[in-house]
Structures are given as structure tokens and as C-alpha cells.
Amino acid sequence: MSEFLDTPELQDKVIVRLVDDDKDFLRSMKLMLEMMGWKVRDFSLAQDFLQEENFKVPGCIVLDMRMPGMTGLELQRQLINDKEKALPIIFLTGHGDVESAVHTLKRGAFDFLQKPVNPLKFNKTIEEACRLSLDNFGASLEKEIFELAAGGKSNKEIASDLDIAVATVKMHRANAFEKMSVHSSIEALHKLNAVKDKDR
């Protein structure tokens, strides 16, 4: 769980994505966040962000509202519909109003901030969003590992399938087995089938 990580440990595991068409603002914001210890990737177009970003790394998205081509709201809508790209979104805009804020938050945005933003408040919001993302990634990975283990795959095979370290597989597998009160792949398969039958 991310609450056990101190801030530098958290920062080592996540990436902050900045998406804003104001290149000067983007440059200064990236510099400020990097000085605070965050790993940052920046994009001036939402389309570039969608094509180039690696969504397998937890973190958050800091998103402008108004941009040429695809707007921040359109990007949010597209990301909502793709669970593999579900990262917490913090809207940071100079064009904010109450109606926009309510709209984005109802659609699942993590927060809505206005430019110029207080650096300390901004840093705290990013940290909270990244902790949530790391926890969500952990839960999703655990579920995936449990299902693969139930299918009879070894730790090494799971690590290869998911492109992660064997040690990571062992940790999540042990956690998942403990939570589900199972001790073997066969028991895991029975538990999984029981859950699926119940959901039908």
C-alpha cells in the first residue's frame, strides 16, 4: 500500500504527465516538478500524448482544458472509456469556471485547479493522485497474477507474460493467495470459478 512509502520512494515508482499547449508554461511546470523530485513527461498536444505515452506506469495526468485539436475534456472522455489508460486526472487551467469544474469532477477527475496554482498545494494534489494510482495498479496487477496463477502458470511464466520481475510476481501472488484464503493454484482455480458462478 502506498501509504507506507515515503515521498521519494513514491516518486521513484510513478510518472507525472503534463498535457498543455502553452509550451512556456509546460517548460516551467516541468522544471518546478522535477526540482520537487517528480519524474515528468510533457506533451503539448493531447493526440501526441495518446499515441506516445506508456500507460503501464502509475502516476497522474495534469491536463489543460482548452487545447487545439483534442480538448482536455475530449481527452478525459477518451481515457474514461479505456480502462487500461485509467490514470487520475488533475485539471489545471486558466479557463476554469464552476460549471467546468463540476463537469470534470462528475466524470471522475481527481481534482480541478486554476492557474496560477500554489506550488505546495499542487505538489500535495499530485502526491495524493499518484498514491491512488499506485494502489489501483497494485490491486489490478494482483488480480491479474491471481488469475494467471489459477490457470496453472508459474511465477516465471507470469513474469514473462506481464513483463515484470519474478520477485514482484511472488509478492503479489502471496498477497492474493492470502486474501483469497488459498494455498495452491488448484485452490485458486476453484475459488475463481466459484466467484464467476456467483456473478452469473
Side-chain angles (χ1 to χ4, degrees):
M1 295 287 281
S2 69
E3 69 257 30
F4 299 122
L5 298 177
D6 60 25
T7 303
E9 284 179 306
L10 173 71
Q11 290 173 328
D12 190 49
K13 294 176 182 293
V14 299
I15 294 174
V16 178
R17 290 86 165 171
L18 301 176
V19 188
D20 196 305
D21 64 310
D22 183 337
K23 291 188 179 177
D24 290 334
F25 175 79
L26 207 55
R27 204 174 298 117
S28 64
M29 189 57 66
K30 183 179 182 185
L31 184 63
M32 181 187 84
L33 290 173
E34 285 177 340
M35 286 173 70
M36 289 173 166
W38 298 102
K39 288 184 284 191
V40 181
R41 282 172 56 81
D42 59 303
F43 303 87
S44 54
L45 289 172
Q47 295 94 317
D48 291 346
F49 166 73
L50 277 175
Q51 284 168 9
E52 297 169 22
E53 188 46 55
N54 172 15
F55 290 89
K56 288 187 175 179
V57 180
C60 68
I61 303 164
V62 178
L63 184 56
D64 190 19
M65 290 275 285
R66 292 185 192 170
M67 294 182 288
M70 185 184 287
T71 67
L73 285 173
E74 287 168 341
L75 177 59
Q76 182 192 25
R77 198 176 304 126
Q78 191 150 334
L79 293 173
I80 287 168
N81 293 329
D82 189 341
K83 285 184 179 172
E84 288 185 6
K85 295 177 180 172
L87 291 166
I89 295 172
I90 300 164
F91 276 96
L92 178 62
T93 180
H95 311 288
D97 55 56
V98 173
E99 193 179 335
S100 301
V102 169
H103 183 71
T104 60
L105 293 168
K106 273 187 175 176
R107 286 182 169 269
F110 185 81
D111 209 339
F112 188 97
L113 305 173
Q114 284 192 284
K115 299 174 185 174
V117 67
N118 176 302
L120 291 178
K121 183 184 179 185
F122 189 41
N123 186 52
K124 186 172 183 292
T125 305
I126 284 176
E127 182 166 336
E128 288 170 353
C130 286
R131 285 188 187 281
L132 173 68
S133 174
L134 194 60
D135 288 343
N136 288 345
F137 265 73
S140 173
L141 186 60
E142 210 166 270
K143 182 173 180 284
E144 212 170 342
I145 288 170
F146 184 82
E147 288 174 355
L148 289 169
K153 292 208 169 186
S154 68
N155 290 340
K156 202 171 177 183
E157 287 170 326
I158 295 170
S160 173
D161 285 357
L162 300 179
D163 195 22
I164 56 177
V166 174
T168 305
V169 174
K170 283 181 180 174
M171 180 187 75
H172 285 294
R173 181 178 178 141
N175 287 345
F177 275 33
E178 188 180 343
K179 280 179 190 169
M180 300 298 281
S181 303
V182 299
H183 304 93
S184 68
S185 294
I186 296 291
E187 285 184 25
L189 182 60
H190 289 320
K191 182 73 81 169
L192 202 58
N193 287 336
V195 169
K196 283 178 182 172
D197 289 342
K198 205 166 154 186
D199 289 343
R200 275 180 195 149

